């Protein structure tokens, strides 16, 4: 994980596939891309096996573009739809077993700090709602209580979409699913509230309706985690298959849900605010 592992030896570039040459010559390494740049450079993730119209895929693409330093980043994930795309990206990916993503990320981050004391390495956990709030709950909470310096991104499609439609802790109360025919009994878990109680330094809830805001939020979370402490992003990424959302209606659903109950929210600790004010300060002209 450095730019040296991506660049081919002198004289070999021209013999590599065109896609790889494109990645080296027109990738995002060393640059800060904007959402409006999409389609004008070689993205870190392109081919993937996600369903047509999947909002989660759009969010994951934006997450990769938002990485402040992709050549010094590692993704950690687990079983679920998201890892099908995340593992295709040109960023090292560690597949944690169900339940241990945040434990894996904790050990990884600490090891990287010892191995590379002079180079900041960003660790990002990106997994589904079931993998984090149900099966991975213990590891998630303890990583927050320990103030581990990495970012956790929940791909909240409010269902176990990869296994046929079982309810998760993040499913909305009363929702009827293929594997929950009587409707969910309990309320949706307040993961944002749990993060706040645990003292997470940067917390955000977001829907992929505004690409620029999604990227800014992810960058903020990663930068705060790099220097200050744990960060958490909860992203609504609907499952158009399990919720029977027609493909042309996926983004309409995103806007509707954002308006009804998933509005953008940031909760930032005082020390994280101070840090962000400094790093986001515009240079004087």
């Amino acid at each position: 994980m450095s730019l040296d592992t991506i660049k081919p030896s002198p004289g070999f570039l021209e013999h590599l596939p065109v896609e790889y040459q494109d990645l080296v010559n027109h990738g995002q390494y060393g640059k800060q891309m904007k959402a409006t740049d999409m389609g004008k450079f070689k993205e870190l993730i392109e081919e993937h096996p996600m369903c047509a119209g999947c909002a989660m895929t759009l969010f994951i693409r934006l997450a990769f573009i938002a990485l402040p330093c992709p050549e010094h980043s590692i993704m950690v994930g687990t079983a679920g739809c998201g890892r099908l795309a995340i593992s295709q990206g040109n960023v090292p990916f560690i597949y944690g077993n169900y339940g241990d993503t945040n434990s894996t990320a904790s050990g990884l981050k600490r090891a990287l700090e010892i191995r590379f004391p002079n180079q900041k390495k960003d660790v990002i956990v990106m997994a589904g709602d079931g993998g984090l709030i149900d099966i991975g709950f213990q590891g998630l909470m303890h990583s927050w209580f320990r103030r581990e310096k990495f970012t956790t991104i929940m791909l909240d499609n409010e269902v176990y979409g990869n296994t046929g439609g079982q309810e998760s802790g993040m499913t909305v109360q009363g929702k009827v699913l293929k594997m929950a025919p009587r409707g969910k009994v309990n309320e949706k878990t307040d993961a944002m509230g749990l993060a706040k109680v645990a003292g997470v330094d940067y917390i955000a809830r977001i829907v992929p309706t505004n690409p620029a805001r999604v990227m800014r939020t992810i960058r903020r979370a990663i930068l705060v985690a790099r220097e200050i402490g744990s960060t958490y992003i909860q992203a609504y990424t609907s499952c158009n298959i399990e919720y029977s959302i027609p493909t042309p209606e996926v983004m309409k659903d995103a806007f509707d849900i954002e308006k009804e109950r998933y509005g953008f929210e940031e909760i930032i600790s005082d020390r994280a605010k101070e840090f962000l004010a400094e790093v986001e300060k515009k240079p004087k002209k």
Side-chain angles (χ1 to χ4, degrees), residues 97-111:
N97 289 319
Y98 246 156
D100 70 3
T101 50
N102 283 52
S103 303
T104 299
S106 298
L108 177 64
K109 180 69 181 189
R110 294 183 185 197

Side-chain angles (χ1 to χ4, degrees), residues 4-227:
D4 290 338
T5 64
I6 297 160
K7 290 180 178 176
S9 299
F12 279 86
L13 179 62
E14 61 184 289
H15 301 292
L16 291 171
V18 172
E19 291 80 6
Y20 199 93
Q21 294 182 38
D22 207 12
L23 182 69
V24 174
N25 293 326
H26 306 291
Q28 69 182 77
Y29 303 107
K31 307 165 193 168
Q32 288 291 302
M33 296 299 184
K34 301 176 182 175
T36 52
D37 292 326
M38 290 180 78
K40 302 175 185 174
F41 68 99
K42 184 74 169 178
E43 292 185 38
L44 293 168
I45 181 169
E46 290 186 320
E47 296 182 5
H48 56 76
M50 303 288 269
C51 302
C54 176
M56 187 183 294
T57 310
L58 170 61
F59 181 87
I60 292 172
R61 283 179 65 193
L62 293 170
F64 272 83
I65 297 171
L67 294 175
C69 199
E71 63 270 30
H72 293 293
S73 300
I74 296 181
M75 297 278 189
V76 180
T78 188
C81 296
R83 53 93 186 179
L84 297 172
I86 299 165
S87 59
Q88 304 295 314
N90 199 46
V91 171
F93 174 75
I94 293 179
Y95 186 101
N97 289 319
Y98 246 156
D100 70 3
T101 50
N102 283 52
S103 303
T104 299
S106 298
L108 177 64
K109 180 69 181 189
R110 294 183 185 197
L112 290 170
E113 287 178 346
I114 294 172
R115 175 63 179 84
F116 302 100
N118 300 317
Q119 175 60 59
K120 297 291 184 183
K121 302 285 185 180
D122 298 320
V123 175
I124 303 105
V125 171
M126 189 150 49
D129 46 303
L132 288 172
I133 208 68
D134 293 339
I135 304 167
F137 183 74
Q138 177 178 318
L140 172 72
M141 292 304 299
H142 280 280
S143 71
W144 286 349
F145 286 133
R146 292 193 305 267
R147 310 288 175 88
E148 301 286 354
K149 291 184 176 178
F150 61 85
T151 297
T152 301
I153 300 176
M154 178 191 287
L155 303 168
D156 182 18
N157 61 4
E158 304 183 323
V159 66
Y160 284 86
N162 199 223
T163 51
Q166 296 84 5
E167 67 178 47
S168 81
M170 299 299 284
T171 302
V172 175
Q173 187 178 35
K175 192 67 184 178
V176 174
L177 298 162
K178 291 175 184 172
M179 297 292 179
R182 295 181 179 177
K184 188 185 177 189
V185 174
N186 300 312
E187 294 181 358
K188 180 183 176 91
T189 304
D190 182 10
M192 296 276 290
L194 290 169
K196 188 176 180 181
V197 168
V200 173
D201 280 289
Y202 181 86
I203 306 165
R205 180 178 61 200
I206 200 164
V207 174
T209 52
N210 183 332
R213 186 168 62 190
V214 169
M215 289 175 55
R216 178 175 180 267
T217 301
I218 292 171
R219 278 186 185 144
R220 286 187 132 196
I222 293 173
L223 291 174
V224 170
R226 188 186 288 177
E227 300 290 344

